[in-house]
Amino acid sequence: MSVDWTDKVVVLTGAGGGIGRAIAEKLASEKMQLVLLGGNNVEKLNTTARMVEKYSSCMVLPGDLTSIDFIKKSILLIAELFGAVDVLINNAGVAQNTPFEAVSLTEFDKIMAINLRTPFVLTQKTLPLLKKSSQPTIINIASVVSHSGYPFQSIYSASKHALLGMTKSLAREYYKENIRVHAISPGGVYTDMVKVSRPDLSPEGMIMPEDIADAVRFLLFSRSNAVIDEICLHRAAKEPFC
């Protein structure tokens, strides 16, 4: 069943580049209205906004996604301006490349705060606006490490395991309320974050951000009674991620 998403409101985190920017461009090209939420690099967010505004409207709300006060104020503003949210995409994340014994509590807390607590808080605060939509959808960008573990990524892996678990639970909890909840778990995507977490990887054969954007579009435009709770994308390499 094809769904019309024209003028529907998308709240997207992590839109300053990489996967988030590709998603923003893809959904704006479908005439969806974008709210780029969070992030302190205003220049990067504004660059994304300029790229998508040739297709559709776009609002930038920079700020600290680990601040509950920032999220509350942002959701109140979105409610005032739009009345409802149709799609929430939790994409913001931080990577790790640290031996387990060297992980500090500060690093642990930072990874968990961005990769898990932020999606939890933002989803919880956005649900009242999602319930006002005729086709509410939540998409969490997880990772192949939601299933597997890699050296020096113990806490990153833990955060993404938890995010996937939360996604699967929410998909069943809110199905009867017509809210679809999905996770996309890609392998290596050629972004700046992967360059940090897996400096050993070559970009050859890796997934591109546009591939993730295509998966997001598929989930939205293929909305039906059949529930897809996760899409796992692999890179075209001899050594698979999953």
Side-chain angles (χ1 to χ4, degrees):
M1 179 181 69
S2 181
V3 182
D4 182 12
W5 289 96
T6 304
D7 292 330
K8 297 299 184 182
V9 177
V10 181
V11 175
L12 168 66
T13 66
I19 293 172
R21 181 172 289 170
I23 292 172
E25 284 196 274
K26 176 67 68 174
L27 300 188
S29 71
E30 299 291 348
K31 308 303 180 187
M32 301 174 73
Q33 301 183 78
L34 273 293
V35 179
L36 310 184
L37 179 63
N40 293 314
N41 193 322
V42 180
E43 183 179 348
K44 285 186 175 181
L45 289 169
N46 286 337
T47 297
T48 301
R50 287 192 295 270
M51 293 170 71
V52 306
E53 282 173 345
K54 59 185 176 183
Y55 303 113
S56 184
S57 65
C58 181
M59 181 171 69
V60 176
L61 293 177
D64 181 6
L65 284 170
T66 65
S67 166
I68 295 176
D69 187 55
F70 167 72
I71 289 178
K72 286 180 177 178
K73 289 180 178 178
S74 297
I75 296 304
L76 285 174
L77 178 59
I78 292 168
E80 181 181 342
L81 294 176
F82 299 101
V85 169
D86 301 285
V87 182
L88 170 64
I89 303 176
N90 289 302
N91 169 66
V94 291
Q96 176 201 2
N97 186 30
T98 312
F100 178 77
E101 291 178 82
V103 177
S104 66
L105 281 176
T106 298
E107 184 177 14
F108 178 93
D109 289 342
K110 176 183 176 182
I111 292 168
M112 287 296 183
I114 290 291
N115 294 357
L116 181 60
R117 193 182 72 170
T118 290
F120 160 72
V121 174
L122 186 53
T123 299
Q124 197 174 65
K125 300 304 179 185
T126 309
L127 271 169
L129 297 182
L130 285 162
K131 290 179 179 181
K132 295 180 179 181
S133 170
S134 61
Q135 46 210 47
T137 306
I138 301 167
I139 299 176
N140 294 324
I141 305 301
S143 169
V144 65
V145 303
S146 299
H147 300 273
S148 304
Y150 294 95
F152 313 122
Q153 297 185 50
S154 53
I155 311 309
Y156 177 68
S157 179
S159 70
K160 292 297 187 177
H161 269 75
L163 180 62
L164 181 60
M166 184 173 72
T167 302
K168 288 179 175 291
S169 292
L170 293 180
R172 287 153 180 78
E173 184 172 345
Y174 287 98
Y175 176 76
K176 291 184 178 180
E177 295 188 53
N178 196 38
I179 301 175
R180 299 289 187 266
V181 187
H182 310 287
I184 297 176
S185 295
V189 183
Y190 190 54
T191 64
D192 289 340
M193 190 170 78
V194 162
K195 294 175 188 177
V196 172
S197 62
R198 293 294 302 273
D200 57 305
L201 295 179
S202 165
E204 183 180 355
M206 293 184 70
I207 300 166
M208 300 304 292
E210 292 75 19
D211 297 322
I212 310 303
D214 286 339
V216 169
R217 186 193 182 283
F218 169 79
L219 288 171
L220 294 178
F221 282 80
S222 301
R223 183 185 176 96
S224 67
N225 289 328
V227 177
I228 304 168
D229 61 8
E230 182 186 12
I231 292 178
C232 187
L233 300 176
H234 303 252
R235 71 183 185 123
K238 292 181 180 179
E239 185 180 350
F241 274 71
C242 291

